[in-house]
Amino acid sequence: MVSADAARNIVGIIGNVISFGLFLSPVPTFWKIYKKKDVEEFKADPYLATLLNCMLWVFYGLPIVHPNSILVVTINGVGLVVEAIYLMIFFIYAPNKKRLRVLYFLAGEAVFMVIVVLCVLLTAHTHERRSMIVGILCIIFGTAMYASPLTVMGKVIKTKSTEYMPFLLSLVNFCNGCCWTAYALIKFDLYITIPNGLGALFGLAQLVLYACYCGSTPKKNNGKNVEMPTVGNTNTVGGGNVSVTVER
């Protein structure tokens, strides 16, 4: 019989694979930016948000905060690097005004993380207290990121069209939420369960909407690109976002 630890590791590895795929989903957007040498109307907001989310989850998974969470650290560490690369490409091809905005946000995130790390390490002296403080922050940011597709879902209902909500991306986000929720429930972790449980529910809602409106979606082929608002959980373990470009 498979032990709880072994089952948790297997589910966590599957979650790492799914989440890695989500982290790579914006590649078409940045390939487009690279080819055109211009960020056009694309925004850095989803990647800045995901970067902060990954930093919080990496800190949460460290042995000094929440022991035995190496799989949380690995995927969010990878996400941290991937998001940094996206932001570097964005910075290279963005006009000065957008570059300054990115720098301001990065500076703000760096200051925020320094404050969080110092406060946690200096004021909380047990794993339970450290996990609680960082976990609450992860829930707040993770839930906010998982709830971001609500804007897209509202657009689907308003337009009765799923052209802004690709089925595959919605399905993967649902699977991602379910996988990390299962990971958190095997050896109960409230701070991973809440944002990913909500993510699974939001993903299911997207799939239901897709089933309701996919038949009424007009087929267009005018070669125009549309950037999706942040969707789902690029965190991997607490909510992360992805931004994709879809052909219309």
Side-chain angles (χ1 to χ4, degrees):
M1 185 173 180
V2 179
S3 67
D5 286 335
R8 192 170 188 255
N9 287 335
I10 292 170
V11 174
I13 291 170
I14 294 171
N16 270 241
V17 173
I18 296 173
S19 298
F20 182 65
L22 284 175
F23 278 128
L24 294 182
S25 61
V27 167
T29 295
F30 285 91
W31 180 246
K32 180 176 183 291
I33 290 173
Y34 171 75
K35 287 196 299 182
K36 292 197 171 186
K37 313 297 183 187
D38 185 5
V39 299
E40 298 180 314
E41 297 302 315
F42 294 125
K43 296 180 180 180
D45 298 17
Y47 317 105
L48 289 166
T50 305
L51 186 77
L52 177 60
N53 200 46
C54 286
M55 286 192 286
L56 283 169
W57 280 106
V58 167
F59 185 45
Y60 176 84
L62 292 177
I64 56 175
V65 176
H66 194 79
N68 304 315
S69 299
I70 186 63
L71 291 174
V72 176
V73 176
T74 54
I75 188 56
N76 285 285
V78 170
L80 199 61
V81 174
V82 172
E83 299 303 318
I85 293 172
Y86 290 155
L87 288 169
M88 187 184 305
I89 296 172
F90 187 92
F91 188 83
I92 291 172
Y93 297 112
N96 288 335
K97 186 176 179 179
K98 288 188 176 182
R99 287 181 179 179
L100 286 174
R101 188 171 184 274
V102 169
L103 287 177
Y104 289 148
F105 271 92
L106 287 176
E109 290 182 1
V111 171
F112 175 75
M113 282 304 303
V114 169
I115 292 173
V116 169
V117 171
L118 290 177
C119 287
V120 169
L121 297 183
L122 296 178
T123 64
H125 302 294
T126 64
H127 288 140
E128 289 75 15
R129 285 187 59 80
R130 290 177 177 178
S131 296
M132 181 185 70
I133 295 170
V134 182
I136 289 172
L137 290 173
C138 288
I139 287 175
I140 293 170
F141 284 95
T143 301
M145 294 181 72
Y146 252 143
S148 60
L150 292 176
T151 56
V152 181
M153 292 165 66
K155 192 174 186 69
V156 170
I157 294 172
K158 184 178 179 179
T159 62
K160 295 182 172 24
S161 169
T162 59
E163 63 178 325
Y164 294 99
M165 193 175 69
F167 171 76
L168 183 59
L169 190 58
S170 299
L171 178 62
V172 173
N173 272 290
F174 171 69
C175 293
N176 190 58
C178 289
C179 190
W180 285 109
T181 300
Y183 172 87
L185 290 175
I186 292 173
K187 292 182 72 173
F188 188 65
D189 188 322
L190 177 67
Y191 308 112
I192 295 179
T193 301
I194 291 177
N196 286 285
L198 289 173
L201 289 176
F202 287 133
L204 178 61
Q206 285 180 278
L207 293 175
V208 171
L209 276 181
Y210 192 91
C212 292
Y213 294 112
C214 64
S216 61
T217 301
K219 296 185 179 299
K220 297 182 180 180
N221 188 24
N222 56 11
K224 186 176 180 180
N225 291 306
V226 177
E227 186 182 27
M228 284 280 290
T230 331
V231 178
N233 173 5
T234 83
N235 165 351
T236 63
V237 193
N241 288 347
V242 292
S243 177
V244 300
T245 302
V246 295
E247 295 293 330
R248 292 173 55 188

